[in-house]
Amino acid sequence: MKRVVILFSKEGSNMENIIKKLHPHKIFVVAVITNNPKARGIAKAKALGINTVILNHKEFDSREKFDEKLVEIITGFDVDLTILAGFMRILTPIFTSRIKAINIHPSLLPAFKGANALKRSYESDQAKVGVSTHFVTDELDGGKIIMQKSFDKSGMSFEEFEKKIHECEHEIYPLSVLKALDLE
Ligand code: GAR
């Protein structure tokens, strides 16, 4: 059984969705880790009985020191893959060079890399929008694409658009996890 750890910072809806769809029959979620002690996802992970680690980045002097501790914890879990699911931290090469990880991003990469992608994608004049999953490298949102799903946002309110983005994410992220692990 392939072992994974999931990292999140906020709602944790992608984390929860992956656990519900894949754990423990397809993959084993050893733990979830958040950098935000107030993340709403913490209660979701605990309700599902998953070991939950809180590593507050504010308790570290630098990005590098935080990443060193994160790498140490993940390495200790002995996982096959690290899944970033709304983990809102820029990762240094200390992490990216040592941890095999995948990420989900709310745009059709390479469009709208970086912060506030959801809002920038909605406000753009491109009708075709969507979500992407990709391998993590030292280039922000720049690694090899695993899957994408697109739709036409014409006429949608921001709320409708956001809901559709999450629906697409919840559809392709579990599939992407299996693909990244060569399980399908
Ligand atoms: C998701 O929309 C994800 O694509 C985005 O954060 C949201 C997390 O939602 N990630 C990024 O913007 C990464 N740059 P969730 O906490 O409900 O899964």
Side-chain angles (χ1 to χ4, degrees):
M1 177 71 73
K2 300 276 188 184
R3 295 161 60 86
V4 307
V5 65
I6 307 178
L7 276 51
F8 68 97
S9 299
K10 311 183 287 185
E11 287 299 326
S13 75
N14 279 287
M15 174 264 298
E16 182 181 42
N17 176 59
I18 289 168
I19 295 170
K20 284 186 173 167
K21 288 193 177 146
L22 303 180
H23 173 86
H25 50 293
K26 299 257 191 200
I27 59 170
F28 194 83
V29 181
V30 183
V32 299
I33 305 174
T34 185
N35 64 304
N36 174 12
K38 293 185 180 149
R40 276 194 280 263
I42 294 171
K44 294 175 183 160
K46 287 191 171 162
L48 291 164
I50 305 291
N51 180 14
T52 305
V53 178
I54 299 170
L55 187 67
N56 188 349
H57 65 276
K58 291 187 180 151
E59 290 171 6
F60 293 81
D61 297 341
S62 66
R63 242 177 232 292
E64 286 75 16
K65 291 220 170 84
F66 173 77
D67 279 7
E68 271 167 25
K69 186 70 192 172
L70 189 57
V71 167
E72 184 189 314
I73 293 171
I74 293 172
T75 309
F77 284 131
D78 190 22
V79 290
D80 299 288
L81 184 68
T82 294
I83 301 167
L84 309 184
F87 189 63
M88 308 310 274
R89 297 285 305 162
I90 291 179
L91 295 158
T92 69
I94 292 171
F95 181 99
T96 57
S97 67
R98 291 178 53 196
I99 301 293
K100 182 187 177 190
I102 62 173
N103 183 41
I104 187 148
H105 191 74
S107 74
L108 285 180
L109 290 171
F112 310 116
K113 292 180 179 178
N116 301 317
L118 192 79
K119 192 162 173 285
R120 288 187 290 134
S121 175
Y122 180 70
E123 287 172 356
S124 82
D125 51 17
Q126 289 168 27
K128 191 179 171 193
V129 293
V131 304
S132 309
T133 56
H134 64 93
F135 285 98
V136 173
T137 64
D138 58 2
E139 189 199 335
L140 182 66
D141 300 323
K144 184 168 170 267
I145 299 286
I146 303 165
M147 289 181 82
Q148 291 186 309
K149 184 161 175 94
S150 65
F151 62 93
D152 187 329
K153 77 174 188 326
S154 306
M156 283 187 177
S157 67
F158 181 74
E159 288 67 32
E160 287 163 344
F161 167 77
E162 195 175 21
K163 187 164 175 275
K164 182 73 182 168
I165 287 281
H166 287 302
E167 276 171 22
C168 292
E169 290 186 338
H170 294 173
E171 183 183 329
I172 71 165
Y173 213 7
L175 299 173
S176 304
V177 168
L178 297 179
K179 209 168 164 186
L181 287 165
D182 289 323
L183 291 175
E184 53 80 83

